[in-house]
Amino acid sequence: QYVTGLSKFRFLPDVKKAVALLAKKKFKIFIISNQAGVSKGIYSKSTLNEITQYMLKKIQDYDGKIDGVYYCTHENRHNCSCRKPKAGLIDKVLKENCIAKKWLKRAFFIGDSIRDVMTAKSAGVKSILVFSGKEKPGNKDNWQVQPDYTAKNLLSAVTLIISGKIG
């Protein structure tokens, strides 16, 4: 279900807290998201920008920081290089932020779908699948690829990362 306007946008529980914890530990944080609703005409790019600005402001108000937001607004049929599970947006993050590819070995890609896990694998990044969205542990037998780690939600994933227990 698409978030078609600011009135429909909601943070999942503890997301702002999780981002603030990572920011406090000086992690670079980037959002990479497929947003085909734009090319499908379900919502406009300006609506997406409005939602993004609101999200960034609320995260900042909570002492969090997002270093960049990258969207693919294409549909699957466009076969672009930026649509997850392809790693085009990860490449763009590296290039635009002068981050060497060698740092991907120390990076984590957190997402709520197997498509996110596939994106991480294609870029050589460790994946953390969270069960606060599309995917559930009971679907494990149907996954095309296995995540490196799983967590209940974003805060649990962040706690694993900053604990140093994974890596």
Side-chain angles (χ1 to χ4, degrees):
Q1 189 174 9
Y2 290 101
V3 176
T4 57
L6 190 54
S7 65
K8 295 187 179 207
F9 176 83
R10 301 284 180 274
F11 282 97
L12 291 173
D14 295 323
V15 164
K16 292 181 279 188
K17 181 178 181 179
V19 173
L21 283 171
L22 285 174
K24 184 178 178 183
K25 297 286 186 179
K26 307 292 185 210
F27 280 83
K28 293 280 188 189
I29 305 165
F30 299 95
I31 294 174
I32 294 174
S33 179
N34 290 345
Q35 294 294 324
V38 172
S39 62
K40 291 177 179 178
I42 296 170
Y43 52 91
S44 67
K45 194 158 192 170
S46 66
T47 297
L48 179 59
N49 290 337
E50 178 184 22
I51 293 167
T52 301
Q53 291 310 308
Y54 173 82
M55 174 188 68
L56 294 173
K57 170 83 170 86
K58 291 298 179 184
I59 286 172
Q60 188 176 28
D61 289 349
Y62 207 86
D63 293 330
K65 180 184 179 203
I66 302 293
D67 294 283
V69 180
Y70 294 81
Y71 294 126
C72 171
T73 57
H74 304 108
E75 296 176 55
N76 280 332
R77 65 184 173 87
H78 294 129
N79 198 29
C80 64
S81 64
C82 60
R83 187 165 177 79
K84 297 182 298 182
K86 294 180 182 171
L89 286 180
I90 292 175
D91 293 336
K92 188 173 182 178
V93 166
L94 296 175
K95 184 178 178 183
E96 290 185 0
N97 294 278
C98 300
I99 300 170
K101 268 197 180 248
K102 69 179 183 179
W103 288 106
L104 289 179
K105 293 177 188 157
R106 298 184 63 203
F108 294 93
F109 194 99
I110 304 170
D112 67 355
S113 72
I114 291 303
R115 182 180 288 241
D116 294 320
V117 174
M118 293 168 70
T119 304
K121 299 280 185 196
S122 67
V125 179
K126 290 177 282 306
S127 61
I128 303 176
L129 179 64
V130 294
F131 299 124
S132 55
K134 300 174 185 176
E135 203 51 69
K136 303 297 176 211
N139 299 337
K140 185 176 184 174
D141 292 341
N142 299 323
W143 297 343
Q144 304 100 309
V145 56
Q146 295 297 311
D148 295 304
Y149 306 96
T150 60
K152 177 183 171 185
N153 55 33
L154 183 61
L155 183 59
S156 297
V158 166
T159 302
L160 276 173
I161 292 169
I162 62 177
S163 74
K165 294 179 182 175
I166 63 172

